[in-house]
Amino acid sequence: MAKVLIIGSGGAGLVSALSAREGGAEVIVASKTLPTRSQTSMAQGGMNAVLGNEDTVSDHIEDTLRSSAGLGDEKRIAFMCEKAPEAVRWCNSIGLPFSRDESGEIARRRLGGASAARACYAQDYTGLKLLHTLYDQCLKAGIEFKNGRFLLNLIVDEVTNRVLGATFLHIETGEVEEIRADAVIMATGGYGALYGKHSTNSVQATGDGLAAAVRAGAKLADMEFIQFHPTALKNSSILISESARGAGGYLLNANYERFTKELAPRDVVARAIGDEMSANGAVYLDIRHLGEDFINHELPQERKLAQIYEGIDPVHELIPIKPSAHYSMGGIEVNEACMSSVNGLFAVGECANHKIHGANRLGGNSLLELVVFGRHCGAKAVEYGDQNPTLVSDNPQLAKDTNFVRGVMYFTNQIDFYQKQEMLANIFYNNVGLVRDDMGLKAVLGAIRQMQKELPFMGPRDKSKMCNTNLVEFIEFGNKIELSEMIVVSAISRVESRGAHYRIDAPARNDRMFGAHTITWKEDGVLCADFIQ
């Protein structure tokens, strides 16, 4: 029986766990936080699937391709869209409480960039309800969870380029542990927390899985493409779902005039809002005309979030908004079987690049992706593990990481890494955000490389062993620095504008030169970058 280790307990990890368990594998899910705290809980809008006669799978494929701005893989997109109805029916069968229309069928709404109403939803809590449903099913299936495990590194046999498992810091005890497995699935989510207070993501989205994958020899693809959600609360960056615009909400400028097509692709709407804010200082989301009954029934979370975090009631008042970093299109490069360039290392969800989102993700496709590819990835990991069982062998990774954690405690604290982290978030938002240019990108790269040099002088103040969150946050910061360099190098290399990557010094799209994916990896610790088809 294959043993499958899944790192990350969000939606992608839990779907993969159920799939691997169904395939007969022994499954362990390890994550640094509790499953119900994952970023999946913030996916509010819905899950795309063609369920009615007024829509077609070919339209779903075309919408996804168009949104990807020439970087979506048509074969993989077709696979996802064709599997979408089955994915929704599977979610329905395991108990996801979808909202219903008057005929009792699963309700659907139209999200930005879509040609039809195809996002199946559960009020505006779709991701949260999916996450809880999946977790319940995993507990029923007897899947083992190891929470409070912070990923340090993957264990790789360098001769065979084969993953053997991973090492973790057990946060509660302070001990470094290893978990061996026949196959490893990375499901650690994205890297939106790089943007700090300018992101809709939780502070947990630090890209740990991607950084560990790179150190293990995997390649990353399209790291420069980071989607900014058009409607986050102005003061907190808390997400206000696209479902509010899908239901008929308006975007108003400082003169209370509509200024853009609300359901255009997210990159277009976000830049339009950014332009208005630069020119006139404010943009608002208006859902007052939808009425209190509709808002309470269909958009209850949006009302509560606006009341709690902005101090306004959207039933009667305009919601002040701004674009904020939301979704990482880039991730671990994987093949059609979801496996990376490291044998036995699979990736799924936001940390993976299945080449379906390209330069800009279509709203409603993230939950769909994690269900379709989670089921596929779990099955493929079991298949690989059954055919290629690992042998127990000595590997120095556990000793290396034990020594690393001990060594970090001897780092000085001459420089406060929390201040550097906030600085990184601000310069990323201003220079690696909605609009970019060569000068700004190179200035950020210089700052990153200076931080890399200073890292040994930014050690944790807390030298205790048990429950040392200061230590965890320092290691997370190191991962952020490692990934940020790859993001900026990719953005500098792509001298064009495409989807979420908009260069004011190169505003046109250039398919002849840049109709390809950026690939970044490391050789002997040196960053390498290239373009591939």
Side-chain angles (χ1 to χ4, degrees):
M1 180 171 66
K3 182 176 180 181
V4 177
L5 168 63
I6 298 170
I7 305 173
S9 58
L14 297 186
V15 173
S16 299
L18 288 170
S19 176
R21 188 67 171 166
E22 288 170 9
E26 175 189 351
V27 179
I28 296 176
V29 178
S31 65
K32 66 179 176 181
T33 187
L34 297 172
T36 49
R37 294 189 64 190
S38 89
Q39 192 64 34
T40 304
S41 64
M42 290 304 297
Q44 302 163 353
M47 181 189 306
N48 285 334
V50 174
L51 300 182
N53 296 328
E54 72 282 359
D55 194 10
T56 67
V57 172
S58 61
D59 285 340
H60 187 186
I61 294 170
E62 179 57 34
D63 290 345
T64 304
L65 279 169
R66 183 172 56 252
S67 186
S68 76
L71 289 184
D73 183 293
E74 186 168 1
K75 183 178 179 182
R76 297 195 203 182
I77 288 171
F79 174 81
M80 179 183 73
C81 297
E82 288 164 1
K83 293 282 187 182
E86 177 187 329
V88 168
R89 286 193 289 269
W90 179 78
C91 290
N92 187 54
S93 72
I94 63 172
L96 175 56
F98 284 111
S99 295
R100 302 285 167 169
D101 61 22
E102 292 180 355
S103 65
E105 298 298 320
I106 294 173
R108 285 153 284 159
R109 55 168 62 114
R110 184 181 168 211
L111 300 181
S115 57
R118 68 171 70 97
C120 306
Y121 62 91
Q123 293 182 302
D124 52 355
Y125 292 98
T126 314
L128 178 67
K129 293 184 178 184
L130 173 62
L131 188 64
H132 282 255
T133 303
L134 291 170
Y135 187 41
D136 284 345
Q137 293 298 319
C138 286
L139 293 176
K140 289 178 183 177
I143 291 168
E144 182 180 359
F145 284 86
K146 290 183 177 290
N147 302 321
R149 266 66 172 191
F150 178 77
L151 173 65
L152 294 173
N153 280 297
L154 293 162
I155 304 169
V156 178
D157 182 274
E158 293 182 1
V159 176
T160 60
N161 188 36
R162 168 71 188 274
V163 71
L164 305 174
T167 60
F168 301 86
L169 174 67
H170 186 179
I171 299 171
E172 184 177 346
T173 66
E175 298 292 336
V176 177
E177 305 173 343
E178 70 172 9
I179 301 175
R180 295 293 187 102
D182 299 310
V184 175
I185 298 176
M186 197 72 81
T188 50
Y191 42 94
L194 269 170
Y195 290 85
K197 64 183 180 181
H198 310 292
S199 173
T200 65
N201 287 202
S202 77
V203 296
Q204 306 285 346
T206 50
D208 308 312
L210 284 84
V214 168
R215 293 192 292 269
K219 296 179 178 180
L220 305 184
D222 300 328
M223 293 295 287
E224 69 272 32
F225 295 112
I226 298 153
Q227 185 174 81
F228 278 66
H229 199 286
T231 56
L233 290 175
K234 186 175 182 179
N235 293 315
S236 64
S237 290
I238 297 291
L239 177 67
I240 295 297
S241 172
E242 197 162 279
S243 56
R245 285 175 286 130
Y250 302 144
L251 291 173
L252 305 180
N253 61 19
N255 297 320
Y256 309 119
E257 300 167 334
R258 294 174 70 182
F259 60 91
T260 191
K261 185 178 178 182
E262 281 87 0
L263 291 180
R266 286 179 177 174
D267 61 314
V268 175
V269 180
R271 281 195 297 274
I273 292 172
D275 290 344
E276 282 291 332
M277 292 185 71
S278 296
N280 300 306
V283 171
Y284 304 94
L285 176 64
D286 184 7
I287 61 173
R288 296 172 298 176
H289 56 285
L290 300 178
E292 185 169 11
D293 288 345
F294 181 89
I295 291 170
N296 283 340
H297 186 264
E298 296 290 332
L299 304 170
Q301 183 175 199
E302 313 317 314
R303 185 181 188 183
K304 290 176 184 175
L305 292 173
Q307 289 172 322
I308 293 170
Y309 293 101
E310 208 67 33
I312 62 101
D313 187 347
V315 169
H316 308 291
E317 300 168 273
L318 299 176
I319 308 171
I321 51 121
K322 68 175 182 182
S324 291
H326 178 62
Y327 189 89
S328 316
M329 271 80 74
I332 301 166
E333 187 191 26
V334 294
N335 61 20
E336 291 182 0
C338 305
M339 190 161 72
S340 73
S341 56
V342 178
N343 296 323
L345 175 61
F346 297 77
V348 69
E350 195 173 351
C351 73
N353 190 333
H354 297 286
K355 295 185 172 63
I356 55 170
H357 303 312
N360 181 49
R361 179 175 65 80
L362 182 70
N365 273 354
S366 60
L367 291 180
L368 174 61
E369 175 196 17
L370 68 82
V371 174
V372 170
F373 285 96
R375 286 166 61 78
H376 183 59
C377 184
K380 288 297 181 181
V382 174
E383 181 181 312
Y384 181 89
D386 283 338
Q387 295 174 358
N388 304 276
T390 58
L391 299 175
V392 177
S393 60
D394 292 334
N395 188 283
Q397 194 63 55
L398 177 62
K400 285 181 181 179
D401 290 334
T402 300
N403 290 334
F404 165 75
V405 171
R406 288 174 181 164
V408 163
M409 292 305 188
Y410 291 96
F411 284 12
T412 65
N413 191 249
Q414 296 167 248
I415 302 170
D416 185 348
F417 76 83
Y418 291 111
Q419 291 181 358
K420 292 292 184 179
Q421 185 167 256
E422 185 175 359
M423 172 188 168
L424 180 66
N426 289 334
I427 61 176
F428 249 67
Y429 187 69
N430 291 324
N431 296 289
V432 198
L434 282 174
V435 295
R436 308 161 179 189
D437 62 30
D438 188 66
M439 183 180 296
L441 291 168
K442 287 180 177 175
V444 174
L445 184 59
I448 290 166
R449 288 179 172 164
Q450 182 62 30
M451 290 181 195
Q452 290 173 335
K453 294 176 184 177
E454 295 172 343
L455 202 58
F457 305 101
M458 300 183 193
R461 287 185 181 275
D462 186 352
K463 305 299 182 181
S464 62
K465 185 175 181 179
M466 299 172 64
C467 300
N468 191 338
T469 55
N470 187 212
L471 168 64
V472 171
E473 287 160 358
F474 172 74
I475 302 173
E476 286 178 333
F477 178 62
N479 288 332
K480 288 180 180 181
I481 292 295
E482 190 165 10
L483 287 181
S484 63
E485 182 184 23
M486 305 182 90
I487 294 166
V488 175
V489 166
S490 298
I492 291 171
S493 302
R494 187 174 289 280
V495 191
E496 65 156 357
S497 291
R498 183 185 296 268
H501 173 72
Y502 188 84
R503 293 271 301 253
I504 56 175
D505 54 346
R509 176 170 150 178
N510 188 334
D511 287 327
R512 184 177 64 84
M513 293 185 66
F514 299 104
H517 302 274
T518 49
I519 301 293
T520 49
W521 71 99
K522 287 193 172 179
E523 293 183 8
D524 298 322
V526 177
L527 175 59
C528 305
D530 199 359
F531 284 94
I532 66 163
Q533 292 295 333

